[in-house]
Amino acid sequence: EPEVTQTPSHQVTQMGQEVILRCVPISNHLYFYWYRQILGQKVEFLVSFYNNEISEKSEIFDDQFSVERPDGSNFTLKIRSTKLEDSAMYFCASSRGLAGSEQYFGPGTRLTVT
Amino acid sequence: AQSVTQLGSHVSVSEGALVLLRCNYSSSVPPYLFWYVQYPNQGLQLLLKYTSAATLVKGINGFEAEFKKSETSFHLTKPSAHMSDAAEYFCAVSVDAGNQFYFGTGTSLTVIP
């Protein structure tokens, strides 16, 4: 069964450093998403991506964040200058984008900013 | 705007007992509703979804949920809890193709042997 994969599983970085989180969505999906989950809190939407551009973003997704689909398979989230409060689990998801279609989530990348 | 409220951040049941996890939604348009399960250190796995077909939806692992428009609810149930059901459960709503999911705060289910 096809699945969403994410690398790395755990990333430790120092405050102010740039990080890139990588995802490989399911191949025939059209919509790609990033969510984050701060420890003990709910899953929060960051951004969705369709047809090579951002289709929605939340207020969390400020200028420090960017997304890219550099080739036909990868989908990346870049945090330009990490802050302590960026420490969270980051989930990538993808969907067919049809009405009512579920989103398939990857296993997540745990980002720890020290 | 859309939102989801999950009453009860922690629920404990005995093995073999009924599981009931509550979810109420707010949506200005007919919603699509989902239940996801998250096991420790894993991603979110879809349990079931409501997409305006049958109001009683059956999912994996013996779970089901009933969409009640009059109560704006989509509670998750399972007749008999199993130890392996211990996990975090999230209710989510979306309203259009490709749109973001709005998640509830989650309910942690503990199953007591």
Side-chain angles (χ1 to χ4, degrees):
Chain A
E1 185 176 329
E3 58 182 19
V4 176
T5 60
Q6 290 184 244
T7 54
S9 56
H10 192 189
Q11 174 91 46
V12 181
T13 189
Q14 288 190 328
M15 195 167 52
Q17 295 297 303
E18 174 184 287
V19 294
I20 297 176
L21 310 183
R22 302 180 191 279
C23 168
V24 178
I26 294 174
S27 61
N28 63 348
H29 285 184
L30 301 177
Y31 279 81
F32 315 115
Y33 311 82
W34 284 101
Y35 291 83
R36 78 172 186 191
Q37 184 182 29
I38 295 172
L39 188 63
Q41 298 185 25
K42 69 177 177 180
V43 178
E44 300 174 291
F45 170 75
L46 293 177
V47 65
S48 61
F49 193 83
Y50 170 72
N51 200 27
N52 286 317
E53 60 183 26
I54 291 173
S55 56
E56 273 188 296
K57 62 180 182 179
S58 71
E59 62 273 12
I60 302 170
F61 194 86
D62 61 22
D63 292 343
Q64 295 297 315
F65 291 88
S66 62
V67 289
E68 193 177 36
R69 188 156 162 82
D71 52 43
S73 59
N74 290 283
F75 179 51
T76 62
L77 173 69
K78 181 191 292 185
I79 308 175
R80 201 184 335 274
S81 178
T82 51
K83 303 187 283 284
L84 294 176
E85 52 265 37
D86 293 327
S87 295
M89 181 72 90
Y90 288 80
F91 291 107
C92 174
S94 69
S95 80
R96 293 184 182 87
L98 302 174
S101 55
E102 62 266 37
Q103 294 180 13
Y104 292 78
F105 285 78
T109 293
R110 180 165 297 285
L111 177 64
T112 302
V113 182
T114 62
Chain B
Q2 285 65 239
S3 67
V4 170
T5 301
Q6 290 184 243
L7 290 176
S9 57
H10 297 276
V11 170
S12 293
V13 299
S14 298
E15 190 175 15
L18 171 72
V19 176
L20 170 61
L21 305 182
R22 299 178 187 276
C23 172
N24 288 88
Y25 69 91
S26 172
S27 176
S28 54
V29 298
Y32 303 111
L33 294 159
F34 306 82
W35 274 100
Y36 282 84
V37 61
Q38 184 182 32
Y39 297 102
N41 300 313
Q42 295 187 28
L44 286 79
Q45 179 184 2
L46 180 72
L47 275 177
L48 49 78
K49 65 179 183 179
Y50 167 76
T51 58
S52 76
T55 55
L56 181 62
V57 181
K58 295 188 185 299
I60 62 171
N61 302 338
F63 284 94
E64 62 182 37
E66 186 172 9
F67 173 71
K68 292 186 176 180
K69 184 178 178 180
S70 60
E71 299 177 7
T72 60
S73 69
F74 190 57
H75 301 331
L76 182 70
T77 60
K78 181 174 180 177
S80 176
H82 192 272
M83 295 299 294
S84 61
D85 295 327
E88 188 87 15
Y89 291 81
F90 292 94
C91 183
V93 63
S94 76
V95 294
D96 204 355
N99 278 173
Q100 63 171 290
F101 279 16
Y102 297 85
F103 283 88
T105 50
T107 298
S108 177
L109 176 66
T110 300
V111 181
I112 303 165

